[in-house]
């Protein structure tokens, strides 16, 4: 049991940036449902879905781009799906609840994926360039 817990701890420690992204995403979606007034929703959307989550996606993919992980190539798609899911679980679901029309589901807004996908790809490219520069500098020292 101790070895299993240690293995789980190591996996979480190795992927701490991804865990931090998931916690921020969960906080944003949960906070939406506790906003006191409707006038705050626009500012919330701009700050969270168009600023905070894309910046987090950029930083996480930058870090993973500097690693040897093959997970880094799948992360932009993950961040795009999480952006779509966050928008659906907040704004579209609240429209469904407020209108009372549970039988008419709006399709998720697929273009929202670009708000996190593009910064994630940019972070990946910058991370790969940094990794390439580090390897080149290390090979020149030898």
């Amino acid at each position: 049991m101790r070895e299993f817990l240690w293995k789980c701890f190591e996996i979480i420690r190795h992927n701490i940036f991804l865990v931090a992204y998931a916690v921020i995403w969960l906080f944003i979606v949960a906070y939406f449902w506790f906003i006191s007034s409707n006038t705050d929703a626009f500012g919330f959307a701009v700050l969270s879905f168009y600023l905070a989550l894309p910046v987090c996606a950029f930083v996480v993919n930058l870090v993973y781009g500097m690693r040897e992980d093959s997970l880094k190539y799948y992360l932009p798609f993950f961040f795009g799906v999480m952006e779509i899911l966050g928008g659906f679980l907040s704004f579209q679901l609240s429209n469904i609840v407020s209108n009372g029309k549970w039988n008419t589901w709006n399709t998720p807004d697929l273009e929202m994926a670009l708000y996190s996908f593009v910064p994630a790809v940019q972070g990946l490219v910058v991370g790969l360039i940094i990794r390439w520069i580090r390897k080149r500098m290390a090979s020149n020292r030898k």
Side-chain angles (χ1 to χ4, degrees), residues 3-116:
E3 293 171 17
F4 174 74
L5 291 175
W6 186 253
K7 229 179 205 183
C8 291
F9 175 73
E10 284 297 315
I11 290 172
I12 291 171
R13 189 179 66 78
H14 183 69
N15 297 314
I16 193 69
F17 287 97
L18 202 54
V19 171
Y21 177 85
V23 167
I24 291 169
W25 184 88
L26 282 172
F27 174 77
I28 286 171
V29 171
Y31 183 76
F32 174 82
W33 290 98
F34 298 110
I35 292 177
S36 59
S37 67
N38 292 339
T39 58
D40 296 337
F42 178 73
F44 169 78
V46 168
L47 288 176
S48 60
F49 292 109
Y50 303 118
L51 184 67
L53 288 180
V55 167
C56 289
F58 178 84
V59 170
V60 171
N61 247 17
L62 175 74
V63 170
Y64 275 89
M66 293 187 293
R67 294 183 182 175
E68 293 288 332
D69 262 343
S70 62
L71 177 68
K72 64 185 164 204
Y73 300 114
Y74 302 108
L75 285 179
F77 299 106
F78 170 74
F79 293 133
V81 168
M82 293 303 282
E83 185 83 23
I84 292 171
L85 193 59
F88 182 78
L89 289 177
S90 55
F91 295 107
Q92 291 178 343
L93 188 61
S94 70
N95 284 339
I96 292 170
V97 170
S98 66
N99 293 334
K101 297 182 179 180
W102 290 93
N103 58 351
T104 57
W105 287 77
N106 294 334
T107 58
D109 192 12
L110 298 180
E111 70 185 27
M112 276 190 75
L114 294 176
Y115 292 113
S116 282

